[in-house]
Amino acid sequence: MPMNGKFVITCACTGAETTKQQNPALPITPEEVARTAEECRVAGAAILHLHVRDDRGQPTQNVARFRDAIEQIRRKTDIIIEITTGGAVGDTAAERLQPVMELEPEMASLDCGTVNFGDEYIVNTLPVMRDFAAAFRKHKVRATLECFDLGHVYASHYLIKEGLLAEPYHYGFVLNVPGAVPYTVENLSAFMRAMPAGADFTVMGIGRSSLPAQYGAIANGGWIRVGFEDNVFFSKGVLATSNAQLVERAARIGHEAGLVPATPDEVRSYLKLKA
Ligand code: ZN
């Protein structure tokens, strides 16, 4: 078991696609996101996966928006900030990468391939992934290697062989995106087997798979991501009252398995994040 009985909870509190119509408690403004970050940290999250929105609530990769949100989060909590480079459907690669280059966060997501995303699709060619990985390395940003498909895990091996990624490797398995791979124990196992030896992974179950995916993660030594980006419900037909409510449950699930949520500083040390 990695980290001596600790496990890591990430909260993806906003995302690009979720709306206040789907859950009125969705944090949108930098103030709301900062308050959420503080609550989630108290509930047991060590990492905040960050998307930002513009004044109309639409997703944006605008650097000033990210800077504002990060400054407000930093005033409230020591949580690790992981910026998205997935952005929203339709963003160009350059737009998606801009906040990493300018703001040099401790962590950021790095999508490892092309995939259906409902009726839309996410495009990441190997040349784009190489550019992203090289930028991450240059700016000392730890990647969460987001894999929506089994082929994405194998594609990550090219980046490793080419020396574009530094250890320790941390994967994010995104399961149950419509049009991609459903969450099942067998599918999670296949993703795990395709990882390089010794890598860590966070499981993200989208929609109704969120809860089974959390149990799957814990049973296999993985880490958990929850939050309104992935799922706005607490249980069938019942909206979550806050992101922190979902983090609290993830902490309880780990607790029942004899695990304690790692603190941000423990994760900083374990994943060798820059000082
Ligand atoms: Zn995201």
Side-chain angles (χ1 to χ4, degrees):
M1 186 70 66
M3 296 191 76
N4 282 332
K6 303 276 172 76
F7 79 117
V8 180
I9 303 173
T10 296
C11 183
C13 65
T14 303
E17 317 286 335
T18 310
T19 64
K20 289 236 190 218
Q21 284 70 42
Q22 292 168 317
N23 190 323
L26 179 77
I28 295 265
T29 65
E31 295 79 12
E32 289 168 343
V33 170
R35 204 177 320 126
T36 296
E38 186 179 31
E39 290 168 4
C40 289
R41 166 74 171 95
V42 169
I47 303 172
L48 185 83
H49 174 75
L50 181 66
H51 289 248
V52 294
R53 306 286 183 94
D54 64 17
D55 287 336
R56 295 171 302 128
Q58 298 301 308
T60 175
Q61 289 296 101
N62 180 279
V63 171
R65 277 281 161 165
F66 271 105
R67 185 179 287 118
D68 188 14
I70 290 168
E71 282 174 4
Q72 301 216 30
I73 294 164
R74 275 288 153 266
R75 275 186 228 128
K76 287 191 176 292
T77 171
D78 65 345
I79 201 164
I80 294 163
I81 297 171
E82 176 191 85
I83 283 183
T84 178
T85 67
V89 168
D91 288 346
T92 67
E95 285 168 341
R96 288 161 44 197
L97 194 53
Q98 200 64 21
V100 161
M101 315 260 271
E102 303 232 356
L103 303 173
E104 302 188 317
E106 288 179 284
M107 294 182 73
S109 60
L110 198 170
D111 291 354
C112 289
T114 298
V115 69
N116 290 320
F117 196 82
D119 289 348
E120 316 274 359
Y121 49 89
I122 296 169
V123 178
N124 293 283
T125 62
L126 267 172
V128 163
M129 290 160 54
R130 285 189 187 101
D131 288 348
F132 276 45
F136 278 48
R137 192 178 59 173
K138 180 171 172 216
H139 296 280
K140 299 189 169 58
V141 178
R142 173 71 60 211
T144 292
L145 300 164
E146 287 201 2
C147 298
F148 297 68
D149 201 353
L150 183 57
H152 297 185
V153 190
Y154 288 103
S156 73
H157 288 257
Y158 287 86
L159 304 180
I160 291 169
K161 267 195 213 114
E162 293 168 16
L164 292 167
L165 295 172
E167 287 184 275
Y169 307 123
H170 172 234
Y171 285 77
F173 297 148
V174 192
L175 297 168
N176 228 43
V177 170
V181 181
Y183 171 77
T184 64
V185 170
E186 292 79 5
N187 287 342
L188 174 58
S189 298
F191 278 57
M192 287 168 56
R193 280 197 301 273
M195 285 192 308
D200 289 289
F201 62 99
T202 293
V203 185
M204 313 164 193
I206 306 302
R208 69 189 63 183
S209 79
S210 177
L211 194 53
Q214 292 175 58
Y215 283 99
I218 289 293
N220 288 288
W223 302 343
I224 288 176
R225 183 174 108 170
V226 293
F228 287 3
E229 174 168 352
D230 300 342
N231 168 44
V232 296
F233 290 97
F234 186 76
S235 57
K236 190 171 163 60
V238 180
L239 288 175
T241 55
S242 68
N243 277 280
Q245 185 192 29
L246 298 173
V247 173
E248 279 164 15
R249 179 170 58 188
R252 281 201 301 278
I253 289 170
H255 183 75
E256 290 297 327
L259 300 170
V260 178
T263 65
D265 278 349
E266 287 168 337
V267 177
R268 285 185 174 102
S269 158
Y270 183 78
L271 287 181
K272 299 188 171 73
L273 306 186
K274 66 181 151 200

